[in-house]
Amino acid sequence: KAGVTQTPRYLIKTRGQQVTLSCSPISGHRSVSWYQQTPGQGLQFLFEYFSETQRNKGNFPGRFSGRQFSNSRSEMNVSTLELGDSALYLCASSRSAAVYEQYFGPGTRLTVT
Amino acid sequence: AQTVTQSQPEMSVQEAETVTLSCTYDTSESDYYLFWYKQPPSRQMILVIRQEAYKQQNATENRFSVNFQKAAKSFSLKISDSQLGDAAMYFCAYRSNTGTASKLTFGTGTRLQVTL
């Protein structure tokens, strides 16, 4: 069974631009969570989606948004990029919101210049 | 809010030896899960082992085992017979089992070096 896939793997953007990252969960998994990883702040929870509904949201500004499609694929969007948004963005999927095991994708490395 | 603390930024172990990584957490909840994740240089997070708080028995997965002390809020990872492939960042993580809170709260990580 294929694992969690994330596209693109690497991305370079300039300040003020917006970016969309994509995550395809493991087949049969309906819950998708997003995390931001930076050297300074470590791993921080962004949001979680289940059955196209946002269930939880972390403490991030409104510039960070996401959505989930009927096939469970998820996208996250960051508008008006800032230098501090440079990070590794990790997506994780689980079979359902009640299943505790989350499986991570390889991440998207975003660099903002 | 729950917090997870890993007080060892770096650890080193010789191949074939045993090493223990420490993790403490703070929570007022009684129903939760604890995890250890491994992040090698490829940056892909890999689930190493999990522990349900309601289980008294410590989890074991091959060479990996945990020492779960619920009252002390301690959750250490023991790696036996260390291998070069064990070199990675190790993150301890907490997940509530209350309501809809399914997010993982991570510690700051411990970088494990494995030497010959």
Side-chain angles (χ1 to χ4, degrees):
Chain A
K1 185 184 282 189
V4 178
T5 58
Q6 293 186 244
T7 56
R9 293 292 311 277
Y10 302 91
L11 205 50
I12 300 175
K13 291 285 189 179
T14 57
R15 277 180 299 176
Q17 287 187 315
Q18 75 165 18
V19 67
T20 299
L21 312 182
S22 180
C23 171
S24 292
I26 292 171
S27 178
H29 285 197
R30 296 170 60 195
S31 177
V32 173
S33 297
W34 289 88
Y35 296 85
Q36 181 196 64
Q37 185 175 24
T38 61
Q41 299 297 317
L43 282 150
Q44 292 186 290
F45 172 76
L46 279 156
F47 26 65
E48 180 204 2
Y49 287 87
F50 177 72
S51 291
E52 302 178 65
T53 302
Q54 186 180 87
R55 278 170 36 94
N56 289 293
K57 189 177 192 302
N59 189 25
F60 278 82
R63 300 185 297 107
F64 290 81
S65 63
R67 59 179 176 168
Q68 186 180 35
F69 302 94
S70 58
N71 62 358
S72 296
R73 189 177 69 86
S74 177
E75 289 181 348
M76 66 163 282
N77 183 276
V78 188
S79 62
T80 319
L81 283 166
E82 300 177 0
L83 295 178
D85 297 333
S86 295
L88 180 68
Y89 290 88
L90 293 165
C91 165
S93 77
S94 60
R95 192 172 299 279
S96 73
V99 173
Y100 48 77
E101 289 186 10
Q102 294 187 13
Y103 297 89
F104 284 80
T108 293
R109 169 74 67 186
L110 171 65
T111 301
V112 182
T113 62
Chain B
Q2 295 81 26
T3 59
V4 178
T5 302
Q6 293 180 251
S7 58
Q8 305 156 316
E10 289 191 19
M11 292 283 286
S12 182
V13 63
Q14 281 192 318
E15 198 177 20
E17 296 297 307
T18 296
V19 65
T20 299
L21 309 184
S22 301
C23 172
T24 59
Y25 58 96
D26 188 26
T27 183
S28 58
E29 299 174 331
S30 59
D31 191 9
Y32 51 87
Y33 302 100
L34 295 165
F35 306 87
W36 279 98
Y37 278 90
K38 168 185 176 181
Q39 189 178 41
S42 67
R43 309 300 278 175
Q44 176 118 28
M45 296 282 278
I46 301 165
L47 177 61
V48 174
I49 198 165
R50 67 180 183 275
Q51 174 79 44
E52 294 89 338
Y54 64 84
K55 288 186 177 179
Q56 292 186 334
Q57 187 173 5
N58 289 323
T60 298
E61 288 285 345
N62 301 314
R63 298 182 295 106
F64 300 88
S65 61
V66 298
N67 183 3
F68 174 49
Q69 301 290 326
K70 191 171 184 179
K73 297 179 182 174
S74 170
F75 182 61
S76 61
L77 174 70
K78 186 171 83 170
I79 306 174
S80 303
D81 186 25
S82 296
Q83 301 175 358
L84 293 177
D86 295 333
M89 281 289 287
Y90 285 82
F91 292 95
C92 177
Y94 172 102
R95 180 196 181 278
S96 170
N97 196 33
T98 302
T100 61
S102 57
K103 71 171 186 176
L104 290 171
T105 299
F106 288 91
T108 52
T110 296
R111 183 175 302 281
L112 179 66
Q113 290 185 318
V114 182
T115 59
L116 293 172

